[in-house]
Amino acid sequence: DLERKSSRWRRAASEQAARVARAESRFKNLEAQRAEHLVRVEQMKRQAIEQNDVADETRMVVGDLRAQLDFVTWTSQTQSKCWQALNVVLGLICGWLFWHMAGGVNML
């Protein structure tokens, strides 16, 4: 009877030692995963900062390009109005010249 009990205790101790070994192995694996995750978190933080910087730079470039486009648009509109005004003035001058050349003054 004592031998049976002793055998059971040895078997239980052996099983318990195996459980401890498995638990220690699992713990080591979890620690390694935790370390990997911490490294990945730091990498993602750096990547997020870099992407945020790129986004800021892009917004600045877009702002500059919009300002340039606004200036070009304004310049184009101003030039167009000047050409229109010049056409009116030239039309009046040409009309006046033709009227004088055709003897419009003598017709009155």
Side-chain angles (χ1 to χ4, degrees), residues 29-57:
N29 286 337
L30 290 174
E31 283 292 317
Q33 286 179 359
R34 181 177 179 267
E36 288 174 15
H37 289 160
L38 290 175
V39 167
R40 289 173 69 195
V41 164
E42 290 304 316
Q43 289 173 343
M44 290 195 299
K45 282 181 185 178
R46 281 192 301 268
Q47 187 178 18
I49 290 170
E50 290 171 8
Q51 289 177 351
N52 193 29
D53 291 344
V54 168
D56 288 343
E57 290 174 18

